[in-house]
Amino acid sequence: MRLKKNFLLFASLFMGMSCTIAQNKNNDVHIKVPTGFSNSVVADGVGRARHIAITDKGDLYVKLNRLEGGKGIVYLHDSNGDGIYDQRKSFGDYVGTGIYLKNGYLYASSNDDVYRYKLDANGLVIHPDSPERIVSGLINRRQHESKSIVLDNGGNIYVNIGAYSNSCQEKDRQTGSMGVPGCPLLDSAGGIWKFKADQMNQTYKDGERYATGFRNVVGLDWNQKDNSLYVMQHGRDQLTMFPQYYDEKTSANLPAETFYKVPKGGNGGWPYSYYDQNVKKKIISPEYGGDGKKEYTGTALDPLVGFPAHMAPNGLLFYTGNQFPEKYKNGAFIAFHGSWNRSPELQEGYYVAFVPFKDGKPSGDWEIFADGFAGVEEIKTPGMAKHRPCGLAQGPDGSLYVSDDSKGTIYKISYHK
Amino acid sequence: MKYFILSILLGVLIISFSSFRDVIEIKKSAPQQKSTPMTRGKVVYTQYCMPCHQVDGSGVPNLNPPLINTSYVLGSKATLVQILVKGFNKGVEIDGDFYSNPMPAQALSDQQVSDVLTFVRNSFGNKATAVTVAEVKALKSKLK
């Protein structure tokens, strides 16, 4: 009798457990995608999954922002072809964000350095424990420390070096503190640096500052259509530090998160200006004499799109596949990590957006493509969000993959005719 | 007669308007609760701390540290006072996660520091002793 009772208890516990696993795997949030698209969870619990890269065979490399078992890169493989990544291997003893595949190499970045790993014919890393260090000693002062990477078709690698400051104030994030004249940190940060992809042990002196005036770029991609670099900038926080010009609501909705095509020598305008998406103008930052209205007349690129404020664009991908309908071809997907700097207003973002492109320019309004990652209707704090979109990759079959750096879930979004 | 009725109407209007005003004034002053370190601390928290540390003290992953059940909040009062008064720009590791945003020095009175620290140490599930104004004064004098 006692045995039977124990068995029942055990059986119910076991059933409860398997239910929980099933729920974690598929049903903990409902991702909304356009009609004709489907989405599925292809991996879960991977860790703090930042950027991702897919091989020609469909294997996935994931860069982690926190070590799991002492490792910072995860390799995922689907051994039985059911679409779920059932095999994992880890390597790389450093945290970071950037990961990219090009010409038989896997490139990955820590918050200070950039490495590469030679791949075999199957896209497997040959020497996981001995990468080649391409670049080292990049500025990392914690704030905006991630080094996102992308390669062009001419053997160059582009590395974002974020500004270790919000708005280059004398005292960072201090109410009323004015901007440092000539913002000196731009000499080694707040821009995109270009290095040789196949040259070992480069430092700042071996690279070139390809573009400047970008506070922090996490999402960037090389557009194969027009052979150009495109970036998404994280706009500045806390305009309320100048309450004479900005109330809480205004500060929650300014400035825009901006999307740029970046030519060599391009300037994003940070910290001297920001983009106001409501009036569609570049405005002088309050730290540099602005009053919320004065237009900026200095040199700065005009953004292609001004998205709502603070949504944290962490992933950018130009879609080159043939699976999705024609309107998506050569357009840009953007993974918005989701805001924190909007309180007391509700937080925004936590979705993947799409911008249609034609002839190298946006050809229509941006739209939300995949939503619901947060899993709650009203997002009051980022901690409430169950998942946060971060990295994007395009599979060999043209499906779109989205990583989540909160729970380490990898989503696959496909179109069915 | 017409004017008589009109003036009565006018009179009624004035009286009802003034009594309406009275109601508003009463309502304004009615819900005034007794001011405590917790109620005052919440006001300070909302204005100065909430934008980064969030309404529930949960912070922002990778950026702004949580204020829930950490040694920073529940531990040394001297460290806490120093962080508030002098600001903080060092690597913070809590439960294996790192937080990267700097905290600016806060221009608060001793009373405000006492109130907000008492509030934070007794909100979001935290339970720790209050930080008195005398303690703030003593700890601040050691900072200089």
Side-chain angles (χ1 to χ4, degrees):
Chain A
M1 182 66 194
R2 198 187 203 173
L3 217 125
K4 196 176 168 191
K5 215 173 165 184
N6 278 349
F7 172 75
L8 276 175
L9 190 74
F10 179 74
S12 59
L13 261 175
F14 182 74
M15 279 168 70
M17 246 167 67
S18 53
C19 280
T20 322
I21 290 164
Q23 209 173 28
N24 277 346
K25 200 84 190 164
N26 295 309
N27 306 328
D28 83 326
V29 299
H30 172 66
I31 307 296
K32 292 175 280 262
V33 287
T35 309
F37 287 88
S38 69
N39 76 91
S40 58
V41 171
V42 291
D44 205 7
V46 174
R48 301 286 157 82
R50 298 287 284 178
H51 284 174
I52 50 177
I54 301 188
T55 70
D56 297 342
K57 310 269 185 207
D59 293 338
L60 198 69
Y61 287 102
V62 185
K63 188 74 201 79
L64 302 183
N65 209 16
R66 173 177 164 156
L67 298 181
E68 294 281 326
K71 304 297 180 191
I73 301 174
V74 181
Y75 163 81
L76 298 172
H77 178 68
D78 169 14
S79 66
N80 57 9
D82 67 353
I84 308 290
Y85 289 114
D86 50 9
Q87 287 185 357
R88 285 181 200 186
K89 282 181 212 161
S90 298
F91 58 100
D93 59 357
Y94 50 92
V95 301
T97 290
I99 197 151
Y100 199 75
L101 286 160
K102 186 90 177 173
N103 297 337
Y105 282 91
L106 174 73
Y107 295 81
S109 68
S110 70
N111 294 328
D112 313 76
D113 309 322
V114 184
Y115 301 91
R116 74 171 187 176
Y117 302 79
K118 191 159 178 53
L119 302 171
D120 67 15
N122 290 315
L124 293 170
V125 168
I126 299 168
H127 301 296
D129 296 326
S130 48
E132 296 177 305
R133 192 170 69 185
I134 310 173
V135 189
S136 67
L138 303 176
I139 288 262
N140 170 13
R141 298 194 185 163
R142 292 185 300 280
Q143 200 172 174
H144 306 143
E145 75 280 33
S146 65
K147 304 292 184 287
S148 302
I149 51 172
V150 71
L151 275 81
D152 64 13
N153 298 310
N156 301 297
I157 185 165
Y158 300 80
V159 185
N160 169 65
I161 305 176
Y164 44 93
S165 168
N166 174 38
S167 51
C168 210
Q169 289 169 291
E170 298 275 357
K171 289 184 176 158
D172 195 14
R173 298 180 188 263
Q174 186 93 55
T175 295
S177 176
M178 296 307 282
V180 183
C183 189
L185 66 74
L186 287 168
D187 67 348
S188 57
I192 309 291
W193 265 255
K194 179 181 171 184
F195 295 94
K196 289 278 169 220
D198 60 354
Q199 193 178 316
M200 302 308 110
N201 296 314
Q202 298 169 87
T203 59
Y204 273 104
K205 65 177 169 35
D206 304 301
E208 87 175 270
R209 191 177 74 174
Y210 177 81
T212 189
F214 292 99
R215 177 176 174 272
N216 188 32
V217 166
V218 186
L220 78 178
D221 197 14
W222 192 260
N223 187 339
Q224 301 297 340
K225 192 79 181 162
D226 62 1
N227 211 31
S228 301
L229 177 70
Y230 285 71
V231 306
M232 283 294 315
Q233 178 180 231
H234 282 220
R236 49 92 39 89
D237 301 324
Q238 293 167 288
L239 282 164
T240 37
M241 292 185 297
F242 296 83
Q244 64 273 43
Y245 307 127
Y246 305 90
D247 60 20
E248 276 174 345
K249 204 174 172 78
T250 314
S251 176
N253 293 300
L254 282 178
E257 301 289 51
T258 38
F259 184 18
Y260 298 96
K261 175 176 180 171
V262 187
K264 182 178 155 65
N267 191 325
W270 182 91
Y272 311 111
S273 68
Y274 64 84
Y275 189 72
D276 182 330
Q277 71 275 28
N278 301 316
V279 296
K280 295 189 164 50
K281 280 176 182 156
K282 290 170 284 191
I283 304 292
I284 300 174
S285 303
E287 289 84 353
Y288 289 91
D291 60 359
K293 293 189 180 70
K294 270 191 258 176
E295 252 186 87
Y296 182 68
T297 53
T299 311
L301 295 167
D302 284 313
L304 302 168
V305 184
F307 290 91
H310 309 303
M311 302 201 303
N314 273 10
L316 172 65
L317 180 130
F318 282 96
Y319 186 76
T320 57
N322 296 316
Q323 185 194 94
F324 288 10
E326 186 58 29
K327 88 168 212 189
Y328 295 97
K329 187 90 177 181
N330 301 314
F333 286 101
I334 296 150
F336 285 104
H337 198 221
S339 72
W340 60 270
N341 192 222
R342 286 177 47 85
S343 76
E345 309 279 308
L346 291 175
Q347 304 302 337
E348 293 281 351
Y350 304 85
Y351 51 64
V352 177
F354 176 73
V355 182
F357 263 67
K358 202 170 184 191
D359 305 324
K361 280 187 188 140
S363 59
D365 291 337
W366 70 276
E367 58 191 60
I368 296 175
F369 176 72
D371 198 4
F373 295 90
V376 286
E377 275 302 307
E378 293 193 336
I379 310 163
K380 294 196 179 81
T381 73
M384 287 174 69
K386 290 188 175 118
H387 305 275
R388 303 184 74 182
C390 188
L392 297 169
Q394 182 186 309
D397 70 347
S399 294
L400 181 72
Y401 290 74
V402 184
S403 67
D404 145 47
D405 70 350
S406 180
K407 301 268 191 322
T409 306
I410 310 289
Y411 298 89
K412 178 183 181 180
I413 301 173
S414 305
Y415 183 74
H416 308 276
K417 276 174 195 156
Chain B
M1 189 61 187
K2 238 185 201 173
Y3 289 108
F4 179 68
I5 292 168
L6 265 177
S7 56
I8 284 178
L9 271 172
L10 196 71
V12 169
L13 265 175
I14 290 169
I15 289 163
S16 56
F17 183 64
S18 55
S19 56
F20 183 56
R21 271 184 57 179
D22 286 346
V23 171
I24 291 175
E25 269 156 29
I26 289 163
K27 267 197 174 165
K28 256 187 184 169
S29 57
Q32 237 185 26
Q33 289 170 344
K34 212 179 133 210
S35 156
T36 66
M38 286 299 281
T39 58
R40 293 191 304 267
K42 188 176 181 177
V43 172
V44 178
Y45 182 83
T46 304
Q47 186 179 350
Y48 294 94
C49 319
M50 190 184 75
C52 294
H53 292 290
Q54 306 294 311
V55 66
D56 56 0
S58 63
V60 179
N62 303 319
L63 301 180
N64 309 323
L67 303 176
I68 302 168
N69 196 26
T70 77
S71 57
Y72 285 95
V73 171
L74 301 176
S76 156
K77 292 178 183 177
T79 311
L80 261 182
V81 168
Q82 177 170 350
I83 289 172
L84 242 69
V85 174
K86 294 281 186 188
F88 192 74
N89 192 5
K90 290 182 202 156
V92 179
E93 184 187 348
I94 297 170
D95 295 333
D97 282 317
F98 292 86
Y99 297 89
S100 56
N101 277 352
M103 167 154 160
Q106 304 293 332
L108 300 173
S109 69
D110 293 351
Q111 182 70 56
Q112 285 176 307
V113 172
S114 155
D115 290 339
V116 77
L117 289 183
T118 301
F119 171 78
V120 167
R121 281 162 65 90
N122 292 281
S123 300
F124 323 129
N126 295 329
K127 203 144 184 61
T129 53
V131 180
T132 66
V133 175
E135 283 175 307
V136 173
K137 277 191 205 305
L139 292 168
K140 267 176 80 174
S141 70
K142 284 183 197 161
L143 290 176
K144 281 158 196 164

